[in-house]
Amino acid sequence: GEIEPSERLKIIKFAAEASGRESLEIRMCALRLAKYMVEIDSSSPVIKFILQIVKNNKNNNNISATYLKYRILNRIGGYEKEVSECESALSRYSVGISNVFLENLKVDTPWVVKAVNIELLLDNLNNGRPGELLHITTHLSNLLKVSEKITVRHSAGRALLKVIGMLPLDERNEVVIELMRGLEIGEYQFSKYIPAYLGEMSLYLHPNELDEFMKELIKQAESTNDQIS
């Protein structure tokens, strides 16, 4: 929202031209940009290119793309039929949310698809599906620990900070303990992204568990393994 309207128009026009390519990664990036853009700019020229991006993603078999199209068209308004089709496709997938987890853990899944899937999972929680809460939180924790792409790690970490407060105290402690184990791996190039999010998440613990967490941190800092400490 900080760039000039003329610059926004150039960016969305470029994305619209690129969205016609075969690459799923490029098309998803264009769709994701369109979702962000429609939330800050509803001027006619921008909307024209956003709709072009949606049109270039006709297939509803990809849950991530369907989710983005749903968010875009719902925001613009006047596309009730298309929105309803997207809702139907999403509802079919919502019962098999484990498919999203599986896709996120595959190495060959483009990073942007994983990032959008994280947004989709958060939306599921915000729309009154709390039954998946611990499962989703554990999945986000795994992404933060093992994802190949730094952008996905940060997306997962930011999402964890949004959901940790929804969990009961005992389950919060479970998630924090699992992330602590991620530090014990000792591979600094992977574990270095964990502490920033782990530190904030620990503040949601019960005071007794927080004390235990602090003791464990001290123990890790005094480890004979330099990479862990």
Side-chain angles (χ1 to χ4, degrees):
E2 296 178 2
I3 61 174
E4 295 295 321
S6 60
E7 293 173 327
R8 284 203 293 269
L9 185 59
K10 288 178 183 177
I11 292 170
I12 199 66
K13 182 179 179 182
F14 172 81
E17 291 170 356
S19 68
R21 299 186 185 181
E22 288 187 18
S23 165
L24 173 63
E25 188 170 356
I26 291 175
R27 286 188 284 110
M28 285 294 297
C29 284
L31 261 180
R32 195 175 186 221
L33 174 66
K35 193 207 85 163
Y36 291 145
M37 196 75 84
V38 78
E39 293 170 355
I40 60 173
D41 193 336
S42 58
S43 60
S44 296
V46 168
I47 295 298
K48 182 183 79 171
F49 290 115
I50 287 173
L51 289 172
Q52 183 181 329
I53 292 171
V54 172
K55 185 179 178 183
N56 284 341
N57 283 272
K58 298 175 184 176
N59 195 334
N60 273 358
N61 291 331
N62 184 294
I63 184 173
S64 311
T66 302
Y67 164 72
L68 290 176
K69 287 191 288 184
Y70 167 75
R71 291 289 299 272
I72 292 166
L73 294 175
N74 206 31
R75 180 84 180 199
I76 293 174
Y79 291 88
E80 286 77 12
K81 180 176 177 291
E82 291 83 353
V83 167
S84 178
E85 289 173 356
C86 289
E87 281 182 330
S88 297
L90 288 172
S91 66
R92 288 197 298 273
Y93 279 105
S94 66
V95 295
I97 212 76
S98 57
N99 292 333
V100 175
F101 296 159
L102 184 61
E103 188 175 43
N104 279 355
L105 293 173
K106 288 180 180 176
V107 176
D108 59 349
T109 301
W111 69 269
V112 66
V113 173
K114 295 181 181 183
V116 172
N117 282 346
I118 289 171
E119 294 179 26
L120 171 60
L121 293 174
L122 287 180
D123 255 16
N124 265 3
L125 294 179
N126 293 331
N127 291 332
R129 291 173 184 154
E132 298 282 352
L133 180 54
L134 181 59
H135 201 177
I136 289 173
T137 307
T138 303
H139 174 67
L140 293 171
S141 176
N142 286 334
L143 286 179
L144 177 56
K145 288 189 293 184
V146 305
S147 183
E148 298 262 330
K149 292 289 186 179
I150 296 172
T151 48
V152 176
R153 286 175 180 263
H154 286 307
S155 293
R158 287 191 294 268
L160 275 171
L161 294 178
K162 292 179 180 178
V163 302
I164 189 70
M166 301 178 189
L167 289 170
L169 286 170
D170 60 329
E171 292 180 354
R172 296 178 197 179
N173 196 46
E174 286 179 35
V175 175
V176 167
I177 288 172
E178 279 302 311
L179 281 179
M180 284 291 286
R181 288 175 183 157
L183 291 179
E184 293 170 3
I185 295 170
E187 296 291 336
Y188 182 69
Q189 67 267 35
F190 300 114
S191 62
K192 67 181 179 180
Y193 301 102
I194 297 174
Y197 300 106
L198 180 59
E200 284 196 54
M201 289 169 64
S202 69
L203 300 177
Y204 289 89
L205 296 176
H206 185 278
N208 291 341
E209 266 91 40
L210 181 57
D211 287 343
E212 289 298 319
F213 172 79
M214 295 300 292
K215 288 176 185 176
E216 185 61 28
L217 275 188
I218 293 169
K219 180 181 171 183
Q220 298 247 20
E222 294 173 348
S223 170
T224 53
N225 184 322
D226 290 343
Q227 287 197 322
I228 292 178
S229 62

